[in-house]
Amino acid sequence: MYIMKVRGTARIPDYVQIRDDSFTLIAYFRADRPEKELQRLGLQEKENDIMKLIEEIPYGKITRLEI
């Protein structure tokens, strides 16, 4: 899977995209509220690791999500 952070504007918050190996969008959620989508994907136990990665990656850069 791949992850990308998208910068928001003044009225729109930052979002995160999670894509599969074919780059098909499988999750799109606010960067500050990932709980519901991570639970839907079965990744709730990796939430802390994913949140740390979201904080570290630059905006607009697709990064391989190694879980």
Side-chain angles (χ1 to χ4, degrees):
M1 290 193 288
Y2 296 90
I3 189 168
M4 182 173 72
K5 184 167 57 170
V6 180
R7 183 183 303 269
T9 61
R11 293 177 33 198
I12 300 171
D14 295 344
Y15 275 84
V16 175
Q17 295 180 4
I18 296 181
R19 296 181 175 266
D20 64 8
D21 290 333
S22 301
F23 290 101
T24 303
L25 184 65
I26 58 173
Y28 184 73
F29 54 89
R30 286 178 53 164
D32 61 343
R33 297 186 187 165
E35 300 86 14
K36 188 175 180 180
E37 282 297 314
L38 293 179
Q39 182 177 13
R40 185 180 66 83
L41 292 172
L43 299 174
Q44 63 270 15
E45 58 274 344
K46 300 288 186 178
E47 181 179 346
N48 291 335
D49 297 333
I50 292 173
M51 286 305 297
K52 187 179 287 187
L53 180 63
I54 289 170
E55 292 174 8
E56 294 174 356
I57 62 174
Y59 290 99
K61 178 156 173 60
I62 296 174
T63 305
R64 180 100 172 135
L65 183 58
E66 302 288 338
I67 300 178

